[in-house]
Amino acid sequence: MMGLTAVAKTILPKPFRNWLKGLNSTRLLAQYSVYDFNRFHRHSSAGGLRGSLAHEDAEMTKTYHAIEKGLSLPVPRPGFGAIVVSRLANTLARRIRNNGPWTPACAHSLNALSAYLRHAREGSAAIPKGVEEVLSLAAERGLEISGKPTKPIRREDVEAATSFDAERFFWSRHSVRQFSDEALEAAFLLKAIDMARSTPSVCNRQSGRVHIFMKPEDKERILRHQNGNRGFGDTAGAILVVTSDLSAFVDPSERYQAWIDGGMFAMTITLALHALGLGSCCLNWSSPPQLDKALHRDGSIPAGETVIMLLAVGRLRESFAVATSDRLPVSEIARVIQ
Ligand SMILES: Cc1cc2nc3c(=O)[nH]c(=O)nc-3n(C[C@H](O)[C@H](O)[C@H](O)COP(=O)(O)O)c2cc1C
């Protein structure tokens, strides 16, 4: 007996079938968008986490970073950003008084406020409310200023660090879809992730997270939800699930920042793996909600983390083929306005 689709194919004219397909596509787009909306609404600091500790940390990070940025300008203006600086001081003071957890965001905020105060005093600017108070409170509690909000960089050091054949480095990375069966140590992967901490992120909020699966049964459980690894995924020494923690995002306008910051984080991991001589292949996570839920469940991935992509990683064979994956010329992708 003919299936419904086959019957439709024989009796419905092609333009009508295309219209129906378009309608279905629109329906799915709406359904997936609602899923993404709900996830951001529930798990971000602009939604369900509003008022949580994670939200407070994200806001503190945003502001201490504004101070760091302000102080790194060619001519920092003494007393800049008084309103947000005062808000940061009050938030930090409340955290100290309540004996709340002393997170990295707190430590960096304290450092930034201390440098801010020094700079404002040197420039004879008004000191925003709460700044002197929180610094005294921190001193009373024995909380130390442990770092500086800016650091000096010398051009010659940057030049020394980049005096290698960068073109060769970038063009020698390929998506690897056949791996050697040599053992892959987790320490190697952690080294790559350590380097990938250098990835820029919005206001330095560092939402990127990685889940590393190395046991065959775990890799299999993860990969069965992904549609682009057939024929090679099972030969990878590790499967990485790169995610972005939605609690880092504090405003509705940041609704897609997880994919941007997470995507950049994944790219740096890929390049770091390449620098360490490992092969990797990005695996798309353009998945419908039911698969996304299944991956969260089977990988024990926290609900508040959005999956960006998977990475199949392994050691390189002595020689192997890769897809040519030719690139568009620069003239087609860049526009110079001068
Ligand atoms: C986000 C993303 C998802 C990808 N998903 C897959 C995938 O599911 N399966 C696969 O074999 N390759 C996948 N790739 C690899 C691309 O096919 C590959 O990067 C592209 O063809 C360029 O080739 P190259 O990486 O060798 O330079 C993906 C790449 C990216 C960036």
Side-chain angles (χ1 to χ4, degrees), residues 173-177 226-229 232 281-285 308-309 322-325 327:
R173 186 214 55 82
H174 303 284
S175 288
V176 176
R177 298 183 180 87
Q226 202 275 340
N227 63 11
N229 70 89
F232 70 95
C281 184
C282 301
L283 299 173
N284 80 83
W285 194 244
I308 306 300
M309 69 176 78
V322 296
T324 302
S325 292
R327 300 302 208 264

Side-chain angles (χ1 to χ4, degrees), residues 275-316:
L276 292 174
L278 294 176
S280 74
C281 184
C282 301
L283 299 173
N284 80 83
W285 194 244
S286 300
S287 288
Q290 59 273 24
L291 281 185
D292 193 55
K293 287 179 191 162
L295 181 65
H296 275 88
R297 184 195 61 223
D298 288 352
S300 300
I301 293 165
E305 292 180 25
T306 287
V307 176
I308 306 300
M309 69 176 78
L310 278 57
L311 282 170
V313 185
R315 290 198 177 263
L316 296 178

